[in-house]
C-alpha cells in the first residue's frame, strides 16, 4: 500500500513510535521485590503481539515458581547479576550478567532471582504477547540446583 494513499494508514500517527525511557508506564502487573514498567504494549502503542518494558529486581529478591503459559520471554541484563532456576523442581540454575540475554520458552517452570545482596538487577523484558500470563506453581526448590552452562546449538563448545 502506498503510504501517501489517503485510503491507507496514517503513517504519521500509526507508524514508528518512540517511547522515552523516562515515560514508561508503571501501571502494569507487579511482583513484590520487582518494579515493572511498560514501554511497548497495546495500550501505549497498539502492539498486538508483544509486550516490552523494564524490570528492576531489588537486592536478594526472587519470584516464586511460575510459568508464563504459551508466551516466550526474553530478558536482557542491563546491570547486575541474574540467577534463573528452572525445571519441575527448579533443579537447574544459570546466571547472567550485563549484556547477556535469557530466553524462557513457553510453559517452563522457572524462578527469577537477583543474585546480589546489595545491587539492584536492571533488565529489559520482552514477551510474545501483551497479555500478562503468570501461572504460580507450588514447587519446593531443590536444595542444590544443578548449574547448567547453556550452549547455543550453532556455537557449540
Amino acid at each position: 500500500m502506498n503510504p501517501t494513499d489517503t485510503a491507507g494508514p496514517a503513517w504519521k500517527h500509526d507508524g514508528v513510535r518512540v517511547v522515552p525511557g523516562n515515560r514508561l508506564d508503571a501501571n502494569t502487573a507487579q511482583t513484590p521485590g520487582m518494579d515493572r514498567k511498560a514501554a511497548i504494549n497495546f495500550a501505549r502503542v497498539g502492539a498486538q503481539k508483544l509486550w516490552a518494558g523494564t524490570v528492576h529486581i531489588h537486592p536478594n529478591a526472587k519470584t516464586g515458581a511460575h510459568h508464563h503459559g504459551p508466551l516466550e520471554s526474553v530478558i536482557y541484563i542491563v546491570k547486575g547479576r541474574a540467577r534463573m532456576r528452572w525445571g519441575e523442581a527448579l533443579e537447574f540454575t544459570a546466571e547472567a550478567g550485563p549484556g547477556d540475554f535469557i530466553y524462557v520458552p513457553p510453559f517452563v517452570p522457572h524462578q527469577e532471582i537477583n543474585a546480589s545482596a546489595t545491587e539492584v538487577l536492571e533488565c529489559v523484558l520482552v514477551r510474545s504477547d501483551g497479555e500478562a500470563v503468570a501461572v504460580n506453581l507450588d514447587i519446593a526448590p531443590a536444595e542444590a540446583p544443578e548449574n547448567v552452562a547453556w550452549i547455543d546449538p550453532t556455537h557449540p563448545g
Side-chain angles (χ1 to χ4, degrees):
M1 177 176 290
N2 183 340
T4 60
D5 182 354
T6 58
W11 293 122
K12 179 176 181 179
H13 300 290
D14 296 331
V16 172
R17 308 279 173 54
V18 174
V19 178
N22 63 354
R23 298 180 94 188
L24 303 185
D25 183 5
N27 186 24
T28 186
Q30 299 294 332
T31 302
M34 302 173 82
D35 301 313
R36 279 191 201 86
K37 293 183 179 178
I40 307 298
N41 61 15
F42 181 77
R44 304 216 62 211
V45 301
Q48 301 287 319
K49 299 179 182 178
L50 58 87
W51 184 99
T54 61
V55 61
H56 291 180
I57 303 174
H58 304 184
N60 271 341
K62 60 185 173 184
T63 66
H66 65 283
H67 68 72
H68 298 288
L71 304 186
E72 294 177 288
S73 299
V74 173
I75 303 166
Y76 174 76
I77 310 302
V78 175
K79 178 181 176 187
R81 192 105 194 124
R83 180 177 304 123
M84 295 291 290
R85 294 178 72 169
W86 73 94
E88 293 300 320
L90 302 178
E91 66 270 29
F92 306 111
T93 185
E95 290 197 9
D100 293 341
F101 288 84
I102 299 168
Y103 170 68
V104 182
F107 298 103
V108 171
H110 66 282
Q111 176 182 40
E112 296 105 350
I113 301 167
N114 181 341
S116 172
T118 59
E119 301 286 326
V120 171
L121 171 61
E122 298 180 14
C123 306
V124 173
L125 172 62
V126 178
R127 292 214 181 107
S128 62
D129 195 314
E131 292 297 318
V133 175
V135 178
N136 293 318
L137 304 170
D138 187 18
I139 295 176
E143 286 296 317
E146 178 185 344
N147 191 12
V148 177
W150 183 74
I151 298 176
D152 179 340
T154 59
H155 301 93

